[in-house]
Amino acid sequence: MKKILVHVHIFYENLYPELKACLLNLKDYKCDFIFTFVKENKELESDIKSTFKNAKVEIVKNLGFDLGPFVHVLNEVNLGDYSYVIKLHTKRDIPLKGKKDWYTGSGWRDALLKFIKNKDVFDKVIERLEKNPKVGMHGPNICTFNKKTDDHFSYKQALAYFKEKNLPLCNYKFVAGTMFMTRADLLEQIKKLNLTQDDFESPDLSHEGCQMAHIFERLCGFAVISQGYMIVDCTYGITYSRILYLLLNLKKFIMSSLITVRVTKKNKLLIKVLRIPVFAMKLKNNSSK
């Protein structure tokens, strides 16, 4: 096995200690660490460089959430030097909004980091990737979405982008939250698009609409599926992981089909029950001229 490229984007600096604890589980592997920040933090930089001896720390533009910096890093490296790429970032807590679910609070981040929070678990993830050449990416089942469970508008935008770039269309999957481990060579498809961080917008923290970062989030999974590889949760046995994925996505599909509320491109509020429109209302345009 060649080296592992580890990209860590630090935006919420208070979450760095959690990622640091995860990264220490990689001590038995040859890794190149690249940390990206959107502003200078000498104290954190000193801690990183004293803990991870060969780490690079770079200040990048605040464009594209954690995906713009990931493109920046991909453009800097020779993927042929690596067997795998690990992508991590400081994903913030999701507000509870009166209801406790797996994805609220730290739940989403906990699910995404499960593969690297424990050394024994990470060793098993490596073992499964090494033994099963058809597994292209590790991603937690509960955070992996497909055509039927993806946001409809973002799905349409992503497909339009793939078509524009003459990429082979397929029923992609993707890891929502973009913390994963993937085979390095599968990302060559993305590098060939010649994207730079300037192709991304300033982050819209409301996550309304579909920015280039949301399309690229889906592109990471697309690059795996379109080349004939699988995205599976390697913290479980492969067969069990695939069964669990199907069951979880059936649940997601049923829940998303019950009631959906969205604003259309024509600024119309649309409510569907079981995917059947039951209410539509034209919204006022309050933007100033």
Side-chain angles (χ1 to χ4, degrees), residues 201-236:
E201 305 92 342
S202 295
D204 177 4
L205 295 180
S206 72
H207 288 274
E208 296 294 332
C210 182
Q211 293 189 304
M212 182 59 198
H214 299 103
I215 292 174
F216 194 86
E217 179 177 34
R218 288 151 178 81
L219 183 59
C220 290
F222 174 90
V224 176
I225 301 299
S226 66
Q227 295 181 74
Y229 289 79
M230 299 184 294
I231 300 175
V232 297
D233 190 333
C234 293
T235 64
Y236 298 103

